[in-house]
Amino acid sequence: MAAESGPAGVLMSTEAMSKHDLAMMEAEGQCPFSVEDVDLFAPGSQEYWFDAYRILHKDAPVLRIPGGGDTPDKDGFILTKYEDVARIVRDTETFPLNYGQRNAGQEVEREILMEEGHGDAIDAGLSLRPNMEQHRWHREQLTNPWVGAVGAGRNTEMITGYVNELIDRWIDRGSVEYVTEFAAPLPQMVITTILGFPLEDMPTLRKWEEAQVRRFVFGSTHRNLLPEEDEAENARTLAAFHEYIGKHVREKRENPKDDMISYLTQVEYGDDKRPLTDAEVVSVAYGMHIGGNETTQYALTAEAMVLAQKPELAEELRADRSKVRFFVEECLRLYAPTQGLSGRRPIKDIVVQGVTIPAGSVIHLRYGAGNRDEEEYPNAEEIDLTRPSPGRHVTFGQGPRSCPGAGLSRLEQNIATNVILDRLDDLRLAPGKNDLRHQPGVMLGLLELNLEFGQR
């Protein structure tokens, strides 16, 4: 956000950053020319990720990270081809649910949250979805009714209202810093309303949101590691957020409203139709908060950038609004908000692209690279509104473990794009005000986007 919260809506003020965070922000990367030059996790490397993907696709579709496993004697592996990423995200037998896998930083966070009395909430994943059958219950019974592909539709009027409210604030100026004045506040307003938190709490909720994603923004290597002192400080911040959610859970259990937390306090879960504990409700709400903010912010920003760079595309969409859905999916493919995650470990040895990956290895799935695989997407670096099955990219994953809030995010993006096409004309990058630099970490988020426009 602006000076108060950081330029991308997730970055803290300079005064609040550690030396490690500042180093990540200030680093400049170098364009790779060979596999030996590629380091997707080096500070500043995000400016050259797309160049690196082309190299890895050609010369190292499975890239070994020596010593990059959970222990120093094990390696990590980066997978960049679409077919490999898509196969693994759908394979729940070789890559079963395992909520007990934590790196050193996560262990620090767990210890502090337990000390603060929130152990039940952080372990709720084990009680709510210990296997794939209950994972399905979790989605169908808890999250789909509010943020799933069908349930998200209940929020259409609310989202449309917030989109217009935000545009009203700056449309008469003829210019906007899009990240802080639209892309960051919109998804925060939406998820805050859905969960049932007061909108006036948004400044504090934003600080907790920053803490939730700090590891993915400022973490080092494919395992998103922070210095131990930063992990401890961050965990204490998150303990306060757990306490805040718990307070609302207790209040809504007594006086339910029309919001998701109230629903969760009243729902009957699983085959035995049992109520959720307060800690389980906190766990679900905590996950919805982090998932409902950052990724949609980055997607909205990328879509506005594309519309400003390609005025002919904006006119094509105005002429045929049925193409907006295809535009959103193509932008999600090209500019995947989460470029990669290291959340998969096989329970047996597997072979990928001729490379043997031992059981227990840390696998970093590079979604952003899979989406730009020329073998899967001819002319992959261009927007093509005629691509078949536009939503089959791996931006939200695929199969039973895909992002539960994908329906809500897509709805926000489609509504925002349509309203912008309705209300703004001649959308363009403000001259001399954009370097299109990205924040650090594994997520692809522009630091700022300065636009100029006319009114329709």
Side-chain angles (χ1 to χ4, degrees):
M1 294 179 75
E4 293 80 12
S5 300
V10 299
L11 303 180
M12 297 167 286
S13 65
T14 302
E15 293 77 11
M17 290 185 189
S18 68
K19 291 181 180 179
H20 169 80
D21 296 342
L22 285 169
M24 293 286 286
M25 276 294 297
E26 295 170 355
E28 294 185 7
Q30 293 184 339
C31 184
F33 294 97
S34 67
V35 172
E36 290 72 27
D37 297 333
V38 172
D39 183 351
L40 300 178
F41 313 100
S45 64
Q46 59 274 1
E47 309 304 342
Y48 303 101
W49 277 341
F50 302 156
D51 302 282
Y53 296 163
R54 289 191 290 271
I55 293 171
L56 294 178
H57 285 156
K58 178 176 180 292
D59 298 326
V62 178
L63 184 65
R64 184 186 301 269
I65 309 175
D70 288 320
T71 57
D73 60 315
K74 294 183 178 181
D75 296 335
F77 296 84
I78 302 172
L79 275 56
T80 57
K81 295 292 285 182
Y82 176 92
E83 64 174 328
D84 301 325
V85 175
R87 174 171 60 86
I88 287 176
V89 296
R90 299 182 69 89
D91 184 350
T92 59
E93 293 185 3
T94 309
F95 301 87
L97 294 172
N98 188 342
Y99 292 95
Q101 296 169 334
R102 290 181 291 269
N103 62 35
Q106 292 169 316
E107 287 292 351
V108 171
E109 179 180 303
R110 172 182 167 81
E111 290 174 7
I112 290 176
L113 288 173
M114 290 186 69
E115 290 173 4
E116 296 290 334
H118 304 293
D120 289 346
I122 60 176
D123 286 338
L126 292 173
S127 63
L128 283 175
R129 43 183 176 176
N131 53 52
M132 284 310 302
E133 180 182 18
Q134 293 188 40
H135 184 85
R136 176 175 56 81
W137 294 347
H138 187 284
R139 176 157 303 192
E140 292 178 354
Q141 299 174 19
L142 304 185
T143 60
N144 274 359
W146 290 85
V147 300
V150 176
R154 68 191 296 163
N155 304 300
T156 298
E157 183 177 352
M158 177 261 289
I159 294 169
T160 304
Y162 285 151
V163 168
N164 280 294
E165 176 184 331
L166 289 168
I167 292 176
D168 287 343
R169 297 178 186 179
W170 41 260
I171 190 169
D172 290 337
R173 288 204 321 253
S175 64
V176 62
E177 198 295 286
Y178 196 78
V179 175
T180 57
E181 295 187 88
F182 187 83
L186 175 62
Q188 188 186 11
M189 294 164 77
V190 169
I191 199 63
T192 298
T193 301
I194 289 174
L195 290 172
F197 298 143
L199 288 177
E200 55 265 30
D201 288 353
M202 280 177 49
T204 303
L205 288 165
R206 172 60 78 180
K207 293 178 182 178
W208 287 327
E209 177 193 341
E210 291 166 356
Q212 284 184 291
V213 300
R214 185 174 183 180
R215 187 180 292 124
F216 299 106
V217 175
F218 294 116
S220 302
T221 79
H222 61 293
R223 299 176 66 213
N224 313 120
L225 301 175
L226 289 172
E228 185 171 334
E229 60 271 20
D230 289 5
E231 285 283 4
E233 175 192 355
N234 210 54
R236 295 187 186 96
T237 301
L238 293 175
F241 187 34
H242 277 80
E243 187 62 40
Y244 173 90
I245 300 174
K247 172 178 174 289
H248 282 275
V249 170
R250 293 187 292 273
E251 291 176 353
K252 293 175 185 295
R253 196 178 289 280
E254 295 299 322
N255 298 290
K257 308 291 185 183
D258 184 22
D259 57 60
M260 186 174 181
I261 290 180
S262 295
Y263 166 82
L264 294 171
T265 65
Q266 309 298 314
V267 74
E268 295 179 334
Y269 181 60
D271 279 347
D272 55 356
K273 305 296 183 181
R274 70 172 179 85
L276 300 185
T277 66
D278 284 5
E280 288 172 335
V281 178
V282 169
S283 173
V284 177
Y286 183 90
M288 287 297 99
H289 190 259
I290 184 175
N293 273 293
E294 306 307 323
T295 52
T296 302
Q297 170 190 320
Y298 307 144
L300 290 167
T301 305
E303 287 149 13
M305 176 190 71
V306 171
L307 290 175
Q309 292 173 326
K310 298 178 179 294
E312 72 285 355
L313 181 57
E315 290 307 313
E316 181 179 356
L317 296 176
R318 282 196 183 95
D320 184 353
R321 294 306 179 91
S322 69
K323 294 182 178 181
V324 168
R325 178 174 70 89
F326 296 87
F327 167 75
V328 166
E329 297 301 334
E330 275 288 88
C331 288
L332 283 169
R333 179 184 67 82
L334 278 171
Y335 304 100
T338 302
Q339 287 285 294
L341 289 175
S342 301
R344 296 291 197 277
R345 293 160 178 79
I347 60 172
K348 62 182 180 182
D349 292 0
I350 61 172
V351 178
V352 181
Q353 300 285 340
V355 177
T356 298
I357 299 179
S361 298
V362 173
I363 294 182
H364 180 83
L365 297 177
R366 201 68 183 186
Y367 310 115
N371 286 342
R372 287 172 171 260
D373 184 350
E374 286 282 345
E375 289 189 357
E376 189 66 28
Y377 294 102
N379 201 21
E381 298 193 7
E382 296 296 326
I383 288 179
D384 182 353
L385 302 183
T386 66
R387 291 190 195 276
S389 304
R392 67 187 177 88
H393 54 71
V394 289
T395 294
F396 293 118
Q398 291 182 2
R401 294 170 67 180
S402 59
C403 174
L408 178 65
S409 182
R410 283 182 162 112
L411 181 63
E412 290 182 62
Q413 294 171 59
N414 275 272
I415 291 173
T417 300
N418 272 299
V419 175
I420 285 169
L421 293 172
D422 286 339
R423 301 191 63 183
L424 306 185
D425 201 7
D426 189 23
L427 189 66
R428 59 196 181 275
L429 298 179
K433 293 186 177 181
N434 292 287
D435 58 13
L436 301 183
R437 194 165 63 91
H438 298 86
Q439 67 176 50
V442 296
M443 296 191 282
L444 189 69
L446 286 176
L447 289 168
E448 60 181 359
L449 182 64
N450 293 283
L451 301 174
E452 295 177 352
F453 52 84
Q455 295 188 40
R456 289 185 67 80

